[in-house]
Amino acid sequence: LKERLLKSKRILNNMTQEEMANEIGISPKSYNLKENGKNPFSLLEVSRISEVLNLTLEEVNSIFLQIDFNQNYYGGGRVR
């Protein structure tokens, strides 16, 4: 699912995988593997992709992180 979100955003921005790879400074093959979920993107690559595609923080989270912001990560449980 997250791979489809990234692909959709890239296509909506009229970019090929090769163009995106060039924008973030990696090979097209490496980009392909990463976009298809075979290898992770580095934090620097995520940052560059978010700039190129003008992603919101919510989109970055949905595509790359999947953090549940309803959880309290300080102390292991929810605040009551």
Side-chain angles (χ1 to χ4, degrees), residues 5-50:
L5 287 172
L6 178 55
K7 181 179 180 179
S8 299
K9 288 303 244 175
R10 178 178 54 75
I11 290 170
L12 284 171
N13 281 272
N14 297 312
M15 295 188 76
T16 65
Q17 284 189 346
E18 186 172 357
E19 290 168 332
M20 183 60 74
N22 289 334
E23 285 288 334
I24 66 171
I26 62 175
S27 73
K29 175 69 174 168
S30 181
Y31 182 84
N32 176 275
L33 290 170
K34 293 178 181 210
E35 185 179 271
N36 289 304
K38 306 284 189 231
N39 293 329
F41 285 100
S42 73
L43 196 53
L44 186 59
E45 291 163 350
V46 170
S47 176
R48 188 70 187 113
I49 290 168
S50 69

